[in-house]
Amino acid sequence: MEKDIGLKVLLVLHILLLSRCSSEQLHSSQAKTLFRIQNLLNYPNALSNWNNDTDFCNTEPSSSVTVICYEESITQFHIIGGKRASQLPKNFSIDSFVTTLVKLPSLKVLRLVSLGLFGPLPSKLSKLSSLEILDLNSNFFHSDIPREISSLTSLQTLILDGNKFTGKLPNGLGSLVVLAVLSVKNNSLEGHLPNTLGILRNLRVLSLSRNNFTGDVPDLSSLENLQVLDLEDNSLGPKFPQVSSKIESIFLRNNKFTAGIPEKVQSYNQLEHMDISSNRFMGPFPPYLLSLPSITYLNVAGNKLTGMLFEDNQCNAGLDFVDLSTNLLSGTLPRCLMTGSKRRIICFSNNCLATGDRTQHPFSFCRNEALAVGILPKQKSSSKVVLALIICGSIIGGVVLVCATIIVVRKFLAKIAAPGKKTRSIVENAASTYTSKLFTHAKYVTRAMKLGSLSLPSYRTFSSEELKVATNNFDAATFIGNNSDDQMYRGQLKDGSYIAIRCLKTRRSNSSQNFMHHIEMMSKLRHHHLVSTLGHCFECYLGDSSVSRIFLVFEYVPNGTLRSWTSDKHAKRRLTWTQRIAAATGVARGIQFLHTGIVPGIFANNLKITDILLDQDLVAKICSYNLPILDENVKENFQNLSSGSKELKSARANNEEKMDVYDFGVILLEIISGRQINTKNEMRVIQNQLQESIMANAVSRKNMVDPAIKNSCSDESLKTMMELCCRCLSRDTEDRPSVEDVIWNLQFAAQVEDSWGRDSSSSDASPISHLYNLQPNSSRNSNSSRI
């Protein structure tokens, strides 16, 4: 009997020992996997404490590393790296890394944040079939999101923010029936959103901001659990998204929504945060938005919403932020907005409200703008609408008939009276030494050229002896710069005026006639904000007529580059905020002249802040533009610009115009920040900071400005400039403003700053009144709007 009991005890002990060995063996296998991960990640600081004695399942979790086990299997694995982690070394293999990870088959939560991981996300990640939470944000993953991720049917949270994913959102995401959080912010995803998003019944957060998505948002009204819809900074639209009435936050900022705000929004009783700013929403502004039961933040700025506000409109007592600015609203600001919480922030500038301040337009402006975009005010009865349409139609028809008659008569008189007059007048205005073949065709000259000589001497031919005397035989003391193609010298003519001389070497095969198209064009580029050409000189080889050197003579601009006055650390003097707006406006007007002052216009000028010079009055002048005089195909290229269909030329000009707008945005970014921008990466970093500060508060915006002027500019003016800058730098060319719209916004910023009045007493401020003839009712394009 005792022997039987002893045998049973030994048997139990043996079974327990085998079980323990099996558990230790399993634990040892997963420990080896973790050490392998440590090695593949190049031994990051967060994992520096791991060694052979580490008991992973019983280690206290930290903010950077967490390992949680259940029944000796790892179920949660978190590694959180530092902010802005750099990319792992090139020998890192994401494929090997994921192959190692899938050896932890019981993982339910996997968070690998800001570790520098890069490469396409391997599809074999789908082997972690138990995953419920997958967070890979702030890494460097690129290419498509693998469609195999839709096989992770237990997935409740998917976060892929801050990577470089491209392509479309996988259509198979609709099979993730328990998914509650989907966030792919700040990537480069594109295309239409899949309709299968509308069947994710458990979805609570859908965050797709800062991508390149286009088209309408799928119907999400059946997602009754959806609380947060974040679609900012895409190209979505035009229809307002259809969502459940239980929605709590809607972020639609900076898209292409154009339709009106649907009446269903009135039923959004749980809506707390609504931002639909910087879109193209039209139609009446619904006053009930101010009184929604849960609303605390409302931003509808930068749209074309119409309608009247009244003093007795109701507001939610918890409403802390309201921005109604830059719409077409009229009437009176509701009393409840002015009498609520002291913390409440209210913005309402650039409407037609009866507030008695200078930030509002006259009522006629909003009415005309509404008519220009086809927003007709509601009438009390249909008969009045019909009557109004008949009257308007009659007036418009009469005006069209009169205009058509005038055009026909003028064309008839022009054919009779001036068969050769255009050619003669153009030849007379050209340099007298030219044959003016280019300008025998009137289409190459527009009325914009008649801006006068700007107090500069007429264009002429210089002799080489005259230039040698002016530069003391091109003495080194007169040398002011060079690049691979040319040298620049400063000279002084006999009349005492200073000039800048650009010397270019040419190939022996070129005769002077090869350069005449370029020379003739330059002779006509006279504008207040361009460095004008005063003349040229051809130096030829002995024995033939081929040109050895070309000397281009420019007006001398004495005050250096715009950068030396805004972002040069060693500058003794810096431009004031008012002067910076004036300089930016000057650059924009110079670009406008290059685009429209001649036909065909000069586009794709690759402008940099070092290409902008300041004269003795601190007026900005563009000194470099796209006329490649040494290009052997310049004549052919010039002719190509004026050939082709009207549609092709229009599309090409529009695209190249937006290239110049982008370059202007980079210049404006440096003007605002006072920081030199020499690489695209530097530009993107500062742009992102600028974008964040716009959405924050006045203090954040002031912190983004050059410290030399941060305390001497108004917040409204600063915000206008910042918003304009970010629009100019939009990835989508369609989202960038036109040059005319740029100028209007700069004028508005100047007007706001002028009314604010803090720079008015500065003795350093240069006169700017001649730059700002602000007439919004007549001078602006009807389709443009303040950004």
Side-chain angles (χ1 to χ4, degrees):
M1 185 72 178
E2 291 179 358
K3 287 184 178 180
D4 291 340
I5 294 172
L7 287 172
K8 288 180 179 178
V9 170
L10 288 174
L11 183 61
V12 170
L13 290 173
H14 182 67
I15 292 171
L16 289 173
L17 182 63
L18 288 174
S19 175
R20 182 181 176 189
C21 290
S22 176
S23 297
E24 287 180 351
Q25 185 177 5
L26 179 63
H27 182 267
S28 174
S29 171
Q30 297 203 7
K32 287 180 180 179
T33 298
L34 293 180
F35 285 128
R36 173 64 175 161
I37 289 172
Q38 181 188 36
N39 175 262
L40 290 171
L41 291 177
N42 202 26
Y43 297 92
N45 291 332
L47 309 183
S48 59
N49 293 328
W50 285 3
N51 54 55
N52 292 329
D53 297 325
T54 302
D55 184 359
F56 292 105
C57 290
N58 294 303
T59 301
E60 190 71 23
S62 69
S63 59
S64 55
V65 181
T66 299
V67 179
I68 296 178
C69 305
Y70 179 74
E71 294 183 350
E72 299 299 328
S73 292
I74 297 174
T75 57
Q76 293 192 36
F77 185 34
H78 309 234
I79 310 178
I80 314 298
K83 291 183 178 180
R84 299 180 182 176
S86 56
Q87 188 170 297
L88 287 169
K90 292 183 178 179
N91 60 359
F92 171 78
S93 170
I94 187 60
D95 192 67
S96 298
F97 182 76
V98 173
T99 300
T100 304
L101 268 178
V102 297
K103 293 179 181 178
L104 305 174
S106 300
L107 271 180
K108 292 181 180 296
V109 178
L110 177 61
R111 297 187 66 211
L112 303 172
V113 178
S114 194
L115 297 179
L117 305 174
F118 68 91
L121 187 61
S123 59
K124 66 180 68 175
L125 190 70
S126 61
K127 293 182 179 180
L128 293 172
S129 57
S130 298
L131 271 183
E132 296 176 359
I133 297 176
L134 177 60
D135 183 355
L136 303 177
N137 85 78
S138 301
N139 286 289
F140 298 89
F141 290 111
H142 58 76
S143 301
D144 293 355
I145 297 173
R147 65 177 183 275
E148 288 81 4
I149 209 164
S150 60
S151 65
L152 298 173
T153 53
S154 299
L155 206 59
Q156 298 175 22
T157 297
L158 176 60
I159 302 175
L160 303 175
D161 302 345
N163 283 282
K164 299 181 178 181
F165 285 112
T166 56
K168 297 182 178 181
L169 208 58
N171 197 55
L173 290 176
S175 61
L176 303 178
V177 292
V178 295
L179 192 66
V181 176
L182 174 59
S183 185
V184 294
K185 296 187 296 185
N186 200 16
N187 282 282
S188 297
L189 297 166
E190 59 187 11
H192 290 246
L193 299 179
N195 290 327
T196 50
L197 290 177
I199 62 175
L200 297 174
R201 298 297 178 89
N202 290 293
L203 200 63
R204 291 187 292 104
V205 176
L206 178 59
S207 186
L208 311 176
S209 62
R210 297 182 186 177
N211 282 283
N212 302 311
F213 292 120
T214 57
D216 274 325
V217 181
D219 187 349
L220 307 176
S221 57
S222 62
L223 308 186
E224 294 187 355
N225 295 308
L226 188 64
Q227 297 172 357
V228 177
L229 178 63
D230 182 3
L231 305 176
E232 288 187 354
D233 295 304
N234 283 286
S235 297
L236 295 165
K239 295 180 181 178
F240 194 97
Q242 300 180 61
V243 294
S244 162
S245 58
K246 295 181 180 179
I247 194 75
E248 295 179 5
S249 298
I250 298 177
F251 303 89
L252 305 180
R253 184 184 183 280
N254 198 20
N255 275 281
K256 294 183 177 179
F257 294 105
T258 60
I261 300 173
E263 291 185 7
K264 186 182 178 182
V265 176
Q266 192 167 2
S267 66
Y268 293 173
N269 293 333
Q270 299 178 39
L271 185 63
E272 298 177 3
H273 192 126
M274 182 175 183
D275 187 348
I276 62 171
S277 61
S278 300
N279 279 282
R280 305 167 188 174
F281 281 111
M282 296 187 293
F285 168 75
Y288 61 73
L289 291 179
L290 299 170
S291 58
L292 290 174
S294 303
I295 195 75
T296 60
Y297 183 105
L298 177 64
N299 189 348
V300 298
N303 287 289
K304 291 185 177 295
L305 296 172
T306 60
M308 294 192 71
L309 298 179
F310 300 94
E311 281 191 4
D312 57 355
N313 285 137
Q314 300 299 308
C315 305
N316 186 326
L319 191 57
D320 292 328
F321 181 93
V322 182
D323 192 347
L324 308 173
S325 58
T326 319
N327 279 286
L328 304 174
L329 303 175
S330 54
T332 306
L333 204 62
R335 190 184 303 110
C336 60
L337 291 178
M338 313 304 294
T339 58
S341 168
K342 292 182 179 179
R343 296 183 307 162
R344 181 178 291 165
I345 298 173
I346 308 167
C347 306
F348 51 86
S349 63
N350 203 23
N351 281 286
C352 298
L353 296 168
T355 60
D357 59 52
R358 297 183 181 179
T359 65
Q360 302 297 313
H361 296 294
F363 175 76
S364 58
F365 171 81
C366 290
R367 182 187 59 198
N368 293 340
E369 285 287 292
L371 289 172
V373 293
I375 307 171
L376 294 175
K378 290 184 178 180
Q379 301 293 331
K380 293 183 178 180
S381 66
S382 59
S383 59
K384 290 185 177 181
V385 173
V386 174
L387 180 60
L389 290 174
I390 293 173
I391 294 173
C392 290
S394 301
I395 295 172
I396 293 171
V399 171
V400 170
L401 182 61
V402 171
C403 291
T405 304
I406 293 172
I407 291 170
V408 171
V409 171
R410 290 182 68 178
K411 283 186 176 181
F412 177 74
L413 293 175
K415 287 181 180 180
I416 297 175
K421 195 169 183 179
K422 285 185 179 178
T423 301
R424 185 172 59 81
S425 65
I426 293 170
V427 171
E428 286 174 353
N429 289 327
S432 58
T433 57
Y434 301 155
T435 57
S436 298
K437 292 180 181 178
L438 175 65
F439 290 97
T440 56
H441 300 287
K443 67 178 180 179
Y444 293 117
V445 184
T446 72
R447 191 167 58 85
M449 280 188 171
K450 299 178 182 179
L451 290 173
S453 61
L454 306 175
S455 302
L456 294 172
S458 301
Y459 191 95
R460 67 184 179 90
T461 301
F462 288 81
S463 67
S464 57
E465 290 76 14
E466 191 175 3
L467 299 183
K468 287 178 181 178
V469 171
T471 58
N472 194 19
N473 201 20
F474 295 98
D475 188 88
T478 64
F479 180 76
I480 55 177
N482 73 307
N483 56 39
S484 58
D485 296 324
D486 56 47
Q487 296 84 39
M488 291 291 294
Y489 295 87
R490 186 181 76 161
Q492 186 175 18
L493 300 177
K494 289 182 179 180
D495 63 3
S497 60
Y498 286 96
I499 55 174
I501 305 167
R502 181 184 177 193
C503 175
L504 304 99
K505 292 183 179 180
T506 70
R507 297 183 179 181
R508 191 178 183 89
S509 59
N510 289 316
S511 68
S512 60
Q513 197 59 38
N514 291 69
F515 304 107
M516 290 312 297
H517 286 86
H518 183 98
I519 294 294
E520 296 244 21
M521 181 73 77
M522 293 188 71
S523 72
K524 297 297 178 182
L525 289 176
R526 296 290 181 96
H527 189 269
H528 193 62
H529 296 291
L530 298 183
V531 177
S532 299
T533 316
L534 305 180
H536 74 278
C537 171
F538 289 141
E539 190 173 83
C540 300
Y541 288 102
L542 294 175
D544 61 28
S545 60
S546 59
V547 177
S548 61
R549 287 195 295 180
I550 302 173
F551 297 96
L552 298 176
V553 182
F554 298 92
E555 62 172 314
Y556 180 68
V557 183
N559 265 326
T561 68
L562 180 56
R563 169 174 281 180
S564 67
W565 286 80
T566 56
S567 53
D568 189 342
K569 294 180 180 179
H570 304 293
K572 295 181 180 179
R573 242 180 99 195
R574 293 207 175 206
L575 294 182
T576 65
W577 181 244
T578 303
Q579 290 169 327
R580 292 178 195 227
I581 299 175
T585 307
V587 176
R589 288 193 182 280
I591 294 172
Q592 182 187 42
F593 179 79
L594 290 173
H595 291 181
T596 62
I598 52 177
V599 179
I602 301 175
F603 299 92
N605 292 287
N606 192 28
L607 293 175
K608 302 178 182 64
I609 195 168
T610 50
D611 295 327
I612 313 303
L613 304 180
L614 299 182
D615 69 6
Q616 63 276 7
D617 297 318
L618 300 183
V619 172
K621 291 178 177 285
I622 300 172
C623 69
S624 176
Y625 27 86
N626 188 19
L627 281 177
I629 192 169
L630 293 182
D631 188 347
E632 292 180 354
N633 300 316
V634 66
K635 181 176 180 180
E636 179 183 348
N637 292 340
F638 187 89
Q639 290 172 341
N640 287 340
L641 281 172
S642 58
S643 63
S645 67
K646 288 183 179 180
E647 292 79 7
L648 179 61
K649 287 190 289 184
S650 176
R652 180 168 54 201
N654 182 62
N655 182 60
E656 292 180 334
E657 176 194 20
K658 295 304 177 72
M659 291 169 63
D660 284 335
V661 169
Y662 182 90
D663 292 337
F664 175 80
V666 179
I667 294 172
L668 193 58
L669 191 62
E670 190 162 322
I671 290 175
I672 294 170
S673 66
R675 287 185 271 175
Q676 290 194 11
I677 301 171
N678 297 307
T679 66
K680 192 169 184 178
N681 185 52
E682 290 175 345
M683 185 273 294
R684 286 296 177 198
V685 170
I686 299 175
Q687 181 194 3
N688 290 338
Q689 293 172 351
L690 198 73
Q691 188 75 60
E692 291 172 2
S693 70
I694 293 172
M695 292 301 298
N697 51 41
V699 175
S700 297
R701 288 190 284 274
K702 287 293 179 72
N703 288 336
M704 273 301 300
V705 182
D706 183 354
I709 50 104
K710 64 182 295 185
N711 295 321
S712 58
C713 57
S714 71
D715 181 60
E716 179 67 15
S717 175
L718 176 59
K719 187 178 181 183
T720 300
M721 294 279 279
M722 286 181 168
E723 290 174 342
L724 174 62
C725 180
C726 290
R727 282 288 302 279
C728 290
L729 295 174
S730 295
R731 294 179 181 178
D732 188 347
T733 56
E734 293 298 320
D735 289 337
R736 296 173 197 164
S738 65
V739 177
E740 289 73 19
D741 213 17
V742 167
I743 293 172
W744 192 92
N745 278 271
L746 291 169
Q747 291 173 334
F748 178 82
Q751 188 183 54
V752 170
E753 185 65 21
D754 185 52
S755 64
W756 189 64
R758 290 194 180 179
D759 283 338
S760 60
S761 61
S762 173
S763 59
D764 293 333
S766 62
I768 61 170
S769 58
H770 65 286
L771 294 176
Y772 308 122
N773 180 22
L774 190 58
Q775 297 176 332
N777 285 329
S778 58
S779 62
R780 287 186 68 210
N781 185 296
S782 62
N783 292 323
S784 61
S785 61
R786 191 180 82 78
I787 299 165

